[in-house]
Amino acid sequence: MEYVEKGAWLQHRLSFPPPSHFIFEDEAEESQRQCETEQKEAIRALEVLASRVRGAHPEVYDTSGSFIINTRSVEETSENALACLEDLCKVLYEEEGLKGEQSEFLYTGFSHVLLPGVLENRRGVPLGLSVLVLSLARRLGLPVSGVPAFLSPVEPKNTIRSLAREISTVAPSAPPCILRVELPSQASVYFDPFNKGAKLTEDECRNIAAMSGLGEEGVAKTASPAQWYAAMARVMVQVHQRRGESDYVAHWVYQLLAIDPHAPEWTEMSI
């Protein structure tokens, strides 16, 4: 899942104004330094969190700090993976107080969306929390992946229409974002980063997907890089749309359309 974290750093960098936005060169350089500093601090924070998770069961990690997959005992590997997931959730939710943030974040900025802000404030929307959990799981070597059904747009229509005609003042509900641990000896375990890592069955995931207006067929699949990047772009569109920042809405819509040639937002381009 390295590509998810790479996408998060790109999302963070693109949230800063481009150099052409500034009149003075030193302002542009200062903005760039701030971006780099925030990313470096976030990476250090992730490494510290990973070290704390490993400390609970150090025997299941190799010398590089990566989870050991024992091919001779898939049952033991599955048990260890679930134990490590429990350790991860304990560190994040019990010790660090990580919490889900509702859709009101759209009016306050990016602190609950972008990975550095989620790490600093211990608050995040479903997508932001999922990116944090995946970034941490990657450092631990845990086989955690995203579920495509929960990265699809809940209300794909009218994104471009709203941009062209008016800015809605009603914040949409934050869609769920479910993750999955792929285990060698049993069915995959689903969990909800927004709900303190609560475990879910596949049927429960399908029901959530159906109730949220998302496609059930994507529950048992693994989300692709393009699906993650498109989801990151969509949440940025929502942030700027609700803040009335039409130029930035257009910027992220263009990013979204470039990422996904099959995005439903393309249907609005005839306007």
Side-chain angles (χ1 to χ4, degrees), residues 2 34 45 74 92 104 106 148 150 156 160 170 172-173 210 236 260 263:
E2 183 178 4
Q34 180 184 350
V74 292
L92 287 181
E104 286 76 9
L106 292 166
F150 299 98
I160 312 296
V170 179
S173 59
M236 297 301 289
D260 186 1

Side-chain angles (χ1 to χ4, degrees), residues 67-253:
F67 178 74
I68 299 174
I69 298 178
N70 187 347
T71 57
R72 292 175 297 178
S73 177
V74 292
E75 292 81 6
E76 181 181 343
T77 296
S78 295
E79 291 176 2
N80 289 340
L82 290 176
C84 292
L85 178 62
E86 292 294 335
D87 296 336
L88 183 153
C89 291
K90 180 178 180 181
V91 168
L92 287 181
Y93 300 107
E94 295 183 21
E95 299 178 9
E96 292 297 319
L98 190 70
K99 293 183 179 179
E101 184 66 37
Q102 297 297 335
S103 57
E104 286 76 9
F105 83 93
L106 292 166
Y107 299 106
T108 60
F110 313 108
S111 61
H112 302 136
V113 179
L114 303 175
L115 183 51
V118 175
L119 277 164
E120 181 179 358
N121 297 292
R122 300 299 192 262
R123 299 289 186 277
V125 297
L127 183 66
L129 296 181
S130 296
V131 170
L132 170 54
V133 170
L134 277 170
S135 299
L136 188 53
R138 183 181 72 81
R139 285 165 170 76
L140 300 169
L142 288 176
V144 179
S145 61
V147 179
F150 299 98
L151 295 177
S152 303
V154 177
E155 297 177 356
K157 296 182 179 180
N158 298 330
T159 300
I160 312 296
R161 194 183 302 276
S162 296
L163 168 62
R165 298 181 180 178
E166 63 181 355
I167 300 297
S168 172
T169 58
V170 179
S173 59
C177 193
I178 307 300
L179 300 180
R180 177 179 61 234
V181 184
E182 300 175 5
L183 303 174
S185 68
Q186 61 187 76
S188 298
V189 172
Y190 296 83
F191 66 100
D192 182 3
F194 191 74
N195 191 24
K196 299 183 178 180
K199 303 297 188 300
L200 300 166
T201 66
E202 184 171 329
D203 287 340
E204 287 174 328
C205 288
R206 292 183 184 279
N207 290 336
I208 293 173
M211 289 188 295
S212 303
L214 304 168
E216 296 184 43
E217 65 278 0
V219 168
K221 299 179 181 179
T222 298
S224 68
Q227 288 171 318
W228 276 103
Y229 300 158
M232 293 176 186
R234 282 192 181 97
V235 76
M236 297 301 289
V237 169
Q238 290 179 341
V239 171
H240 290 296
Q241 196 173 30
R242 296 317 188 268
R243 289 161 61 90
E245 298 167 339
S246 58
D247 288 347
Y248 289 109
V249 173
H251 169 74
W252 282 102
V253 167

